[in-house]
């Protein structure tokens, strides 16, 4: 029997592009602005072809002025537009940290509710491409520290495709972190894929012995580890946080009440990172459910080194997840 | 009309009314700031507070060139801009008190006055932080083909910030309707212009971005108004941004915590001799457009307006602590 093909093969990069394209078509207030998003096609080729379709007013190349074009995005949002601002990497976003933290995150509050800022800021994040110490960090957890903004970390094709529109509909600033190792990831996406909620974590794999809490590129390492562990009769539940602020702790607390063990997998640095926040919430909300101390597998506390073997060592890896879970489960099973 | 008196030509009456309006605004600012200083001493107002005495001609002169649809982005020394833009003294004073009736619901205080009705996008307490926002507001207007401009005030201290240069470049590159107004009061907090800038002529920096710029005596209301009108009409003509440098001076300390070790008393006194309000009063009297009685009546009205503002602030409510975390995210979805 011939089944009607209702999915389409595409990369993560294409899924983001489709999300931008759909938003541009749906709402003329939406425009994309950033360094090399137009004629170059985007540093990671996300916006390739969009200039031809929408023109230079809506696919707007900017100078290397992160602070000014992020601030201009905030101003345009205040002026009734729905800007998508692309920053090449999270490290460059630090040049616009003033605008993100001091303006985007504060305007609504400082003005007593008068001026909300409906801006979306997208940027690449994460290591794994040998881009060394100024292009590879994972600062999404650090941004998640800031009240007033939302922090999304789409890992799957569905989320890359579906979270952007919801972010654009949000009245407040939303930061979207795209792990740069995911852009080439290929998969099947339903042809009618569309907007998805940005408020909830999702269980990507069910299990009973341990809960792996993760997001971004680490999701796939965690799923791979869970797959291998299942051969040893260890069933890991894998939770994709999807959004780091607001953090949906109910989903992982509920999972822990079933599995009684938690491992947090996060590319970001351990000290003061989002993994520390998650761990603290587990202590507050599920302490008596735990059969073992919470464990964290994080990025090594080092500026990202260039050589492959050191970079691999600096990032969470499948083997580390497996050995950590095995030790936890075996030691007090 | 009194019998036997020649009726005043209509344009003269208009000019006099207009001048009285501007004088009223400058005096209102001066008296308002005086009251704020007093209330700060009696601890009714807290936090950082920066007063505008001496610079009144800049805000009042520039505001004459704006329409109700234009946007204003200001600095943390913005009581004067807010008053001159037409935000009520009551709601500004209530904001100083931190009361719910304040223009920012008490959440902002002296440095963060906001008002949607007059499109006043805030006092910004990060030097230079408002410039990119102004560029974006103007971008939205240009793209949406709305015939309005964004007026962006900043001090000369801001020109040392990268955001100034990035914003000038972007506004010129995209030919955006921004009226940049540099309030050059010679000191970035306590650091003199010559100690912080290799090039002290600020209009020269605008030239570097192909932005037309004019320096004007910021102590001369008529000169500021004239230059602002000219600059604003150029901006409205679609030829991109214009910068106006208003050379002015603040009579008071930088903030309420400043012992003023960095400037000579004689310098302050010399500038006070060029008080924009006193010289405007002198000018109007010379032109026969202001009598002592009128001035006296004006002062009385201002005193009442300020008394009302203080009473309004005193009677205001504290926001319930249960609402502490409101306005971190919107209560509503946007359309």
């Amino acid at each position: 029997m011939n089944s009607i093909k209702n999915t389409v093969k595409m990369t993560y990069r294409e899924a983001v592009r489709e999300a931008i394209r759909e938003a541009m078509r749906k709402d003329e207030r939406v425009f994309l602005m950033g360094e090399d998003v137009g004629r170059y096609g985007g540093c990671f080729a996300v916006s390739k072809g969009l200039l031809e379709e929408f023109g230079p007013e809506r696919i707007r190349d900017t100078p290397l002025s992160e602070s000014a074009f992020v601030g201009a995005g905030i101003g345009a949002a205040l002026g009734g537009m729905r800007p998508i601002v692309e920053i090449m990497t999270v490290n460059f976003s630090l040049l616009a940290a003033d605008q993100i933290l001091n303006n985007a995150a504060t305007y609504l509050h400082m003005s007593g509710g008068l001026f909300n800022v409906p801006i979306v800021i997208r940027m690449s994040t994460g290591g794994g491409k040998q881009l060394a110490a100024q292009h590879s960090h994972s600062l999404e957890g650090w941004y998640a520290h800031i009240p007033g903004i939302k922090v999304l970390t789409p890992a799957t094709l569905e989320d890359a495709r579906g979270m952007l529109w919801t972010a654009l509909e949000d009245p407040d600033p939303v930061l979207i972190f795209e792990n740069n190792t995911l852009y080439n990831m290929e998969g099947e996406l339903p042809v009618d894929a569309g907007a998805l909620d940005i408020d909830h974590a999702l269980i990507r794999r069910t299990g009973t012995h341990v809960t792996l809490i993760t997001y971004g590129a680490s999701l796939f390492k965690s799923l791979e580890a869970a797959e291998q562990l299942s051969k040893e009769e260890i069933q890991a539940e894998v939770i994709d946080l999807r959004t780091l602020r607001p953090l949906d702790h109910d989903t992982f607390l509920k999972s822990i009440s079933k599995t009684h063990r938690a491992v947090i997998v996060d590319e970001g640095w351990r000290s003061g990172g989002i993994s520390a926040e998650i761990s603290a919430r587990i202590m507050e909300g599920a302490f008596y459910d735990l059969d073992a101390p919470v464990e964290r597998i994080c990025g090594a506390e080092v500026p990202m080194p260039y050589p492959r073997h050191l970079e691999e060592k600096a990032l969470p890896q499948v083997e580390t997840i497996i050995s950590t879970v095995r030790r936890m489960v075996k030691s007090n099973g | 009309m009194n019998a036997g008196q020649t009726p005043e030509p209509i344009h003269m009456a208009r000019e006099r009314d207009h001048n009285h309006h501007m004088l009223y605004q400058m005096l209102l600012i001066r008296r308002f700031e005086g009251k704020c200083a007093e209330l700060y001493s009696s601890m009714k107002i807290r936090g950082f507070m920066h007063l505008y005495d001496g610079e009144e001609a800049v805000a009042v002169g520039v505001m004459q060139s704006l329409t109700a649809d234009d946007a204003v982005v200001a600095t943390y020394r913005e009581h004067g801009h807010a008053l001159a833009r037409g935000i009520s003294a009551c709601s500004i004073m209530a904001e100083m008190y931190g009361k719910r009736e304040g223009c920012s619901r008490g959440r902002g205080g002296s440095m963060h006055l906001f008002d949607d009705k007059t499109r006043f996008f805030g006092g910004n307490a990060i030097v230079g932080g408002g410039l990119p926002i102004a560029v974006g507001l103007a971008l939205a207007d240009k793209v949406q083909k709305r015939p309005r401009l964004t007026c962006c005030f900043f001090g000369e201290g801001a020109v040392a910030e990268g955001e100034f240069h990035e914003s000038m470049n972007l506004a010129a590159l995209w030919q955006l309707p921004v009226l940049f107004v540099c309030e050059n009061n010679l000191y970035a907090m306590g650091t003199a212009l010559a100690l912080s800038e290799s090039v002290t002529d600020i209009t020269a920096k605008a030239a570097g971005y192909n932005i037309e710029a004019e320096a004007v005596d910021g102590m001369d209301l008529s000169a500021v108004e004239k230059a602002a009108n000219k600059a604003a009409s150029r901006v409205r003509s679609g030829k991109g941004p214009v910068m106006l440098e208003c050379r002015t001076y603040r009579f008071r300390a930088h903030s309420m915590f400043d012992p003023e070790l960095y400037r000579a008393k004689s310098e302050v006194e010399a500038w006070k001799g060029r008080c924009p309000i006193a010289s405007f009063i002198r000018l109007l009297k010379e032109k026969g457009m202001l009598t002592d009685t009128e001035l006296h009546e004006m002062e009385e009205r201002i005193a009442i307006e300020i008394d009302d503002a203080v009473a309004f602030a005193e009677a205001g409510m504290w926001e319930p602590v249960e609402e502490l975390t409101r306005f971190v995210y919107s209560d509503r979805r946007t359309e």
Side-chain angles (χ1 to χ4, degrees):
Chain A
M1 194 180 94
N2 284 339
S3 64
I4 301 161
K5 189 168 162 56
N6 54 7
T7 63
V8 58
K9 196 176 203 178
M10 67 169 73
T11 60
Y12 183 99
R13 168 186 295 108
E14 288 163 344
V16 178
R17 186 186 304 145
E18 280 314 301
I20 297 171
R21 181 176 277 135
E22 184 199 16
M24 302 273 295
R25 285 177 180 166
K26 260 168 125 164
D27 188 341
E28 63 178 19
R29 298 172 302 176
V30 174
F31 69 103
L32 176 72
M33 163 164 74
E35 291 154 356
D36 281 317
V37 297
R39 288 144 190 95
Y40 189 96
C43 177
F44 292 95
V46 167
S47 51
K48 200 173 165 196
L50 296 181
L51 175 68
E52 290 71 19
E53 185 174 349
F54 297 104
E57 280 254 301
R58 297 186 70 198
I59 303 293
R60 190 174 279 268
D61 281 319
T62 68
L64 297 151
S65 306
E66 285 82 0
S67 197
F69 71 73
V70 170
I74 295 166
L78 288 166
M81 305 289 285
R82 291 290 178 274
I84 304 170
V85 177
E86 176 177 310
I87 302 176
M88 279 189 186
T89 81
V90 65
N91 290 81
F92 303 170
S93 78
L94 301 181
L95 294 161
D98 167 47
Q99 290 298 327
I100 297 171
L101 173 53
N102 287 322
N103 286 337
T106 60
Y107 253 56
L108 180 72
H109 188 85
M110 286 196 300
S111 68
L114 289 178
F115 294 117
N116 61 301
V117 183
I119 188 177
V120 171
I121 303 171
R122 299 172 38 245
M123 64 190 94
S124 71
T125 187
K129 292 273 197 188
Q130 287 193 263
L131 299 176
Q134 293 180 335
H135 281 64
S136 307
H137 293 136
S138 290
L139 299 179
E140 51 275 5
W142 185 73
Y143 277 106
H145 180 61
I146 304 166
I149 57 178
K150 294 182 180 173
V151 174
L152 316 188
T153 54
T156 63
L157 257 60
E158 286 79 4
D159 279 347
R161 177 71 180 79
M163 290 179 105
L164 180 72
W165 178 254
T166 316
L168 281 165
E169 282 193 308
D170 197 282
D172 301 313
V174 179
L175 271 55
I176 303 181
F177 291 87
E178 298 160 4
N179 189 290
N180 70 59
T181 62
L182 297 178
Y183 284 124
N184 289 328
M185 182 178 73
E186 212 170 33
E188 295 286 331
L189 196 64
V191 286
D192 61 350
L196 294 172
D197 93 85
I198 58 171
D199 302 318
H200 296 99
L202 279 175
I203 298 169
R204 297 290 187 191
R205 180 190 174 107
T206 55
T208 49
H209 298 117
V210 62
T211 302
L212 301 180
I213 304 162
T214 188
Y215 69 91
S218 299
L219 169 65
F220 300 101
K221 292 174 180 171
S222 301
L223 287 169
E224 170 64 24
E227 182 61 28
Q228 293 193 35
L229 285 161
S230 72
K231 293 170 192 154
E232 305 172 24
E233 306 296 316
I234 296 173
Q235 304 304 333
E237 184 143 298
V238 179
I239 291 178
D240 176 6
L241 291 169
R242 300 177 70 241
T243 295
L244 303 187
R245 176 180 273 273
L247 188 62
D248 171 18
H249 52 237
D250 288 340
T251 299
F252 62 76
L253 293 178
K254 195 170 164 213
S255 172
I256 291 164
S257 73
K258 177 177 71 174
T259 63
H260 308 292
R261 293 178 192 87
V263 176
I264 304 155
V265 186
D266 173 23
E267 270 195 44
W269 292 305
R270 176 190 301 253
S271 303
I274 193 72
S275 67
E277 176 61 29
I278 295 164
S279 178
R281 294 211 194 182
I282 295 169
M283 297 313 137
E284 290 162 353
F287 183 79
Y288 295 106
D289 287 325
L290 291 172
D291 281 348
V294 170
E295 299 235 20
R296 289 187 282 162
I297 299 165
C298 298
E301 306 248 340
V302 61
M304 192 61 80
Y306 161 68
R308 177 171 296 282
H309 71 294
L310 291 181
E311 186 180 43
E312 280 174 358
K313 185 68 185 166
L315 293 169
Q317 299 298 348
V318 176
E319 271 315 309
T320 331
I321 302 171
I322 291 173
S323 58
T324 303
V325 170
R326 201 183 275 144
R327 174 166 46 73
M328 276 176 95
V329 173
K330 298 258 160 87
S331 67
N332 49 22
Chain B
M1 194 192 311
N2 294 336
Q5 214 174 339
T6 319
E8 188 180 46
I10 257 177
H11 73 273
M12 285 285 285
R14 277 202 192 127
E15 190 186 339
R16 194 192 51 201
D17 288 351
H18 177 62
N19 285 330
H20 280 201
H21 168 69
M22 291 194 294
L23 177 59
Y24 185 93
Q25 289 204 315
M26 288 205 295
L27 273 170
L28 175 66
I29 294 169
R30 181 69 60 92
R31 304 296 173 239
F32 186 90
E33 298 295 58
K35 179 56 77 175
C36 284
E38 192 186 311
L39 291 165
Y40 198 89
S41 303
S42 58
M43 295 172 66
K44 293 283 187 183
I45 301 174
R46 309 296 292 153
F48 277 147
M49 187 172 77
H50 311 83
L51 301 177
Y52 200 61
D53 302 51
E55 305 185 35
E56 295 91 346
V58 179
V60 173
V62 169
M63 290 300 173
Q64 306 312 312
S65 70
L66 305 186
T67 71
D69 286 340
D70 294 334
V72 177
V73 176
T75 67
Y76 54 80
R77 193 183 302 287
E78 90 285 31
H79 305 175
H81 308 119
L83 286 165
R85 184 58 178 163
I87 305 176
S88 79
C90 285
S91 70
I92 298 172
M93 189 60 87
E95 188 61 33
M96 306 287 182
Y97 272 63
K99 296 288 182 74
R100 195 166 63 177
E101 291 76 5
C103 58
S104 310
R105 221 182 152 89
R107 300 272 172 154
S110 165
M111 300 191 287
H112 305 299
L113 305 175
F114 285 85
D115 183 53
D116 53 350
K117 289 180 287 297
T118 57
R119 304 195 72 231
F120 195 85
F121 290 93
N124 200 309
I126 306 295
V127 173
L131 280 97
I133 304 258
V135 169
L137 283 161
L139 174 64
D141 286 335
K142 181 168 180 172
V143 168
Q144 299 188 39
K145 299 185 170 53
R146 293 181 296 227
R148 51 196 200 186
L149 65 75
T150 298
C151 178
C152 180
F153 292 93
F154 56 97
E156 91 291 341
V159 307
E161 294 281 2
E163 288 184 323
F164 165 80
H165 296 275
E166 291 186 12
S167 299
M168 297 295 273
N169 181 49
L170 216 51
L173 183 70
W174 292 344
Q175 291 288 284
L176 301 178
V178 186
L179 174 57
F180 290 107
V181 180
C182 178
E183 300 181 301
N184 179 0
N185 67 15
L186 299 175
Y187 293 90
M189 207 159 125
T191 302
L193 184 58
L195 295 178
S196 61
E197 287 294 312
S198 58
V199 174
T200 54
D201 178 0
I202 295 181
T203 60
K205 295 170 197 292
Y209 298 100
N210 215 4
I211 291 177
E212 190 167 297
E214 186 184 347
V216 63
D217 179 359
M219 310 304 270
D220 179 343
L221 176 65
S222 307
V224 173
E225 185 191 14
K226 198 174 149 202
N229 279 330
K230 187 178 142 208
S233 48
R234 186 178 160 88
V235 172
R236 289 184 207 287
S237 73
K239 290 179 187 149
V242 174
M243 197 225 276
L244 192 62
E245 179 199 346
C246 300
R247 294 181 176 161
T248 183
Y249 200 80
R250 70 175 151 70
F251 292 171
R252 287 182 187 263
H254 165 75
S255 73
M256 305 309 283
F257 297 98
D258 168 16
E260 294 190 78
L261 303 171
Y262 50 85
R263 62 183 191 181
K265 282 201 165 56
S266 57
E267 180 186 292
V268 180
E269 289 312 310
W271 276 93
K272 282 183 176 171
R274 299 190 49 214
C275 172
I277 298 177
S279 51
F280 193 58
I281 288 172
R282 215 159 38 238
L283 178 79
L284 293 188
K285 283 185 173 172
E286 277 165 20
K287 283 185 170 178
M289 283 193 174
L290 181 72
T291 65
D292 284 332
T293 315
E294 284 169 332
L295 182 59
H296 182 68
E297 283 169 4
M298 203 179 277
E299 288 277 21
E300 281 186 330
R301 276 190 288 136
I302 286 167
I304 291 169
E305 185 167 349
I306 287 172
D307 284 349
D308 287 350
V310 174
F312 179 80
E314 288 282 348
M317 308 287 284
W318 300 113
E319 193 150 20
V321 288
E322 293 73 30
E323 300 216 343
L324 170 67
T325 57
R326 258 190 96 184
F327 311 120
V328 176
Y329 298 100
S330 297
D331 298 338
R332 65 191 192 287
R333 310 289 289 183
T334 45
E335 305 91 49

